[in-house]
Amino acid sequence: MIEFRNVSKQYSPDATALRDVSFTVAKGELVFLAGPSGAGKSTLLKMIAAVERPSAGQVIVNGQDIARIKPAAVPFLRRNLGLIFQQQRLLTDRSILANVMLPLLVTGASRAQAEQRARAALDKVGLLERADAQPLALSGGEQQRVSIARAIVNRPQVILADEPTANLDRASANKVLDALKAFHSVGVTCLISSHDEQMLDAAARVIHLKQGQLEVQA
Ligand SMILES: Nc1ncnc2c1ncn2[C@@H]1O[C@H](COP(=O)(O)OP(=O)(O)OP(=O)(O)O)[C@@H](O)[C@H]1O
Ligand SMILES: [Mg+2]
């Protein structure tokens, strides 16, 4: 489903984020992406969503080469991806229900259909009873679960979550991870980054990045 073949990324001559990275993630797999700050985790996830393109090597997602994908095809690629990125924020001037409905409304769903599916998505992350709350009335962990609901409301085949548990206490972090694992258990491919080694699931496959390189060939 996702394949990196000898991928390197240089933002500038003296900023190399990834060096010769190769791995594959099979359909339905749950993989953690670990490594310290600056290791290249966000860069790697951004390449899967065609936010960044490789400087060398190939990134293949669903059979498509990200380096060659036409700009017009990028929205179609992203429609199959649930993205939970580090700098993404919820819109604070509307309810969490409205936030989760948004991706459906922009792809042409009716309001009634969007509301029904957004409520189902909020239910899956345990926040249905807070549907009418404003984002800032929720804790950091609850906001992160709203972000997950917003990412999965379009029923993507793949979830990419960049540090979804950063700045959360252990209990909230576990709830966020449980919400992600619930999607994995119904067949969704999940790639989750974290700089906190304690957050990694002992049972799951882990790809370790350090200074842009894979530590163990995965
Ligand atoms: N847009 C950019 N322009 C130039 N350099 C960048 C850019 N984005 C990232 N870098 C550099 O690439 C390297 C990898 O950054 P990246 O954000 O992928 O790391 P990370 O593992 O996600 O770190 P963190 O845990 O802090 O989020 C860093 O040295 C960073 O400074
Ligand atoms: Mg990052």
Side-chain angles (χ1 to χ4, degrees), residues 58-117:
Q58 284 181 301
V59 176
I60 314 284
V61 180
N62 259 337
Q64 281 185 295
D65 185 343
I66 293 298
R68 291 173 185 202
I69 194 167
K70 294 198 170 63
V74 169
F76 294 97
L77 168 85
R78 290 193 191 146
R79 208 161 285 177
N80 288 321
L81 305 175
L83 307 177
I84 303 158
F85 277 170
Q86 267 177 311
Q87 278 93 15
Q88 249 171 9
R89 290 280 163 265
L90 298 169
L91 301 174
T92 55
D93 63 343
R94 59 195 80 186
S95 69
I96 65 170
L97 177 66
N99 270 274
V100 177
M101 284 169 66
L102 209 55
L104 295 166
L105 295 175
V106 299
T107 52
S110 71
R111 283 203 78 80
Q113 192 187 26
E115 179 167 342
Q116 187 195 11
R117 283 178 55 185

Side-chain angles (χ1 to χ4, degrees), residues 140-162:
E142 289 166 340
Q143 290 180 35
Q144 204 52 302
R145 278 148 62 204
V146 176
S147 299
I148 293 172
R150 184 179 58 181
I152 58 86
V153 76
N154 267 322
R155 299 180 186 146
Q157 300 167 351
V158 180
I159 294 176
L160 306 177
D162 197 5

Side-chain angles (χ1 to χ4, degrees), residues 17-218:
L18 293 176
R19 295 165 210 268
D20 200 21
V21 169
S22 299
F23 65 90
T24 61
V25 175
K27 189 168 163 54
E29 244 191 312
L30 167 67
V31 178
F32 283 89
L33 183 60
S37 183
K41 305 180 297 295
S42 296
T43 300
L44 190 156
L45 292 175
K46 283 176 186 168
M47 277 198 261
I48 297 169
V51 175
E52 297 288 352
R53 296 190 181 219
S55 311
Q58 284 181 301
V59 176
I60 314 284
V61 180
N62 259 337
Q64 281 185 295
D65 185 343
I66 293 298
R68 291 173 185 202
I69 194 167
K70 294 198 170 63
V74 169
F76 294 97
L77 168 85
R78 290 193 191 146
R79 208 161 285 177
N80 288 321
L81 305 175
L83 307 177
I84 303 158
F85 277 170
Q86 267 177 311
Q87 278 93 15
Q88 249 171 9
R89 290 280 163 265
L90 298 169
L91 301 174
T92 55
D93 63 343
R94 59 195 80 186
S95 69
I96 65 170
L97 177 66
N99 270 274
V100 177
M101 284 169 66
L102 209 55
L104 295 166
L105 295 175
V106 299
T107 52
S110 71
R111 283 203 78 80
Q113 192 187 26
E115 179 167 342
Q116 187 195 11
R117 283 178 55 185
R119 284 187 185 278
L122 284 170
D123 193 26
K124 286 192 185 128
V125 299
L127 288 172
L128 181 55
E129 69 283 6
R130 306 297 302 276
D132 297 321
Q134 301 278 118
L136 295 180
L138 303 185
S139 72
E142 289 166 340
Q143 290 180 35
Q144 204 52 302
R145 278 148 62 204
V146 176
S147 299
I148 293 172
R150 184 179 58 181
I152 58 86
V153 76
N154 267 322
R155 299 180 186 146
Q157 300 167 351
V158 180
I159 294 176
L160 306 177
D162 197 5
E163 309 250 13
T165 61
N167 309 318
L168 301 181
D169 63 38
R170 188 51 38 102
S172 314
N174 282 335
K175 277 193 181 175
V176 167
L177 283 182
D178 286 346
L180 288 168
K181 283 183 203 161
F183 294 105
H184 167 244
S185 70
V186 295
V188 179
T189 309
C190 293
L191 196 45
I192 305 169
S193 82
S194 178
H195 66 262
D196 180 0
E197 298 279 335
Q198 285 187 297
M199 229 38 263
L200 305 178
D201 188 324
R205 178 176 163 208
V206 181
I207 294 177
H208 288 277
L209 267 181
K210 198 176 175 185
Q211 295 179 345
Q213 289 183 298
L214 286 197
E215 282 222 294
V216 188
Q217 195 67 26

